[in-house]
Amino acid sequence: AQKITQTQPGMFVQEKEAVTLDCTYDTSDPSYGLFWYKQPSSGEMIFLIYQGSYDQQNATEGRYSLNFQKARKSANLVISASQLGDSAMYFCAMREGLYSSASKIIFGSGTRLSIRP
Amino acid sequence: GAVVSQHPSWVICKSGTSVKIECRSLDFQATTMFWYRQFPKQSLMLMATSNEGSKATYEQGVEKDKFLINHASLTLSTLTVTSAHPEDSSFYICSAINSGGALETQYFGPGTRLLVL
């Protein structure tokens, strides 16, 4: 079964608009972390934002915010005031068992975001 | 921030040869490293978890005799693709956890593109 689901294979957004990238997850572990990464065409994985399962407030990092709805098991990424440089693949990821030595990050299928000038 | 390097960044080899990819944590110690594979237009798939001083843990469906992993020190893990074939052509990315850092701190290398002719 899919543990991380990203239902939007591709999105087009006008420059300066806000965009929401969807992510739902599935886990029975009470201790987990949720991540968003950006992957430009160069292939490098750029860490954007992190949300821990016990965090009370939604994470924010500059123009990025994570809309964490624990009961719905969703962790959507919101990018405000999109820029042309935001065009890239975006991956949602989860790490279960944060305090376990076997803890590992698994990725969703990704969303390709294209920003129109 | 912490840096993870990979060498080589590109490799082209003939079918049947073996290829070694190095992953180094440059300014931190990493007891755990991860190896991912990414095919074009797809997500990152975890291949194995590499623990310093012990055998790697492979994900289901990954041939351990095909993909040899050695984590001989706290700053170096190697992935050797043995008897490479064209279907092994892919983008290989390593990731390392900073043993002395926050639990959510997992850093990714820039990746290695392998093309098997």
Side-chain angles (χ1 to χ4, degrees), chain B residues 87-98:
Chain B
E87 58 266 29
D88 298 324
S89 298
S90 188
F91 188 51
Y92 293 86
I93 307 175
C94 74
S95 173
I97 292 179
N98 185 347

Side-chain angles (χ1 to χ4, degrees), chain A residues 9-22:
Chain A
M11 288 187 71
F12 287 89
V13 173
Q14 202 67 33
E15 189 181 8
K16 299 181 184 178
E17 289 184 351
V19 56
T20 298
L21 305 182
D22 296 339

Side-chain angles (χ1 to χ4, degrees), chain A residues 35 37 39 41-45 50 91 95 98-99 101 103-105 107-109, chain B residues 32 34 36 38 42-44 46 49 59 91 93 97 103-106 108 110 113:
Chain A
F35 305 77
Y37 287 88
Q39 187 181 43
S41 56
S42 61
E44 62 178 317
M45 296 295 286
Y50 167 81
F91 291 100
R95 191 166 152 205
L98 287 178
Y99 299 92
S101 60
S103 181
K104 56 197 178 186
I105 287 184
F107 288 83
S109 55
Chain B
T32 304
F34 303 91
Y36 294 84
Q38 185 180 30
Q42 294 187 22
S43 185
L44 280 74
L46 180 65
T49 302
E59 295 298 303
F91 188 51
I93 307 175
I97 292 179
L103 287 169
E104 68 269 24
T105 314
Q106 183 165 338
F108 285 83
R113 297 192 186 278

Side-chain angles (χ1 to χ4, degrees), chain A residues 37-47 91, chain B residues 2-11 21-26 28 33-38 44 75 77 90-96 106-114:
Chain A
Y37 287 88
K38 173 184 178 181
Q39 187 181 43
S41 56
S42 61
E44 62 178 317
M45 296 295 286
I46 301 170
F47 166 75
F91 291 100
Chain B
V3 177
V4 175
S5 70
Q6 280 185 242
H7 177 79
S9 55
W10 270 97
V11 58
I21 302 170
E22 293 186 348
C23 176
R24 293 181 185 274
S25 56
L26 297 184
F28 64 96
M33 291 184 173
F34 303 91
W35 286 97
Y36 294 84
R37 179 168 55 180
Q38 185 180 30
L44 280 74
T75 60
S77 175
S90 188
F91 188 51
Y92 293 86
I93 307 175
C94 74
S95 173
Q106 183 165 338
Y107 302 95
F108 285 83
T112 297
R113 297 192 186 278
L114 170 63

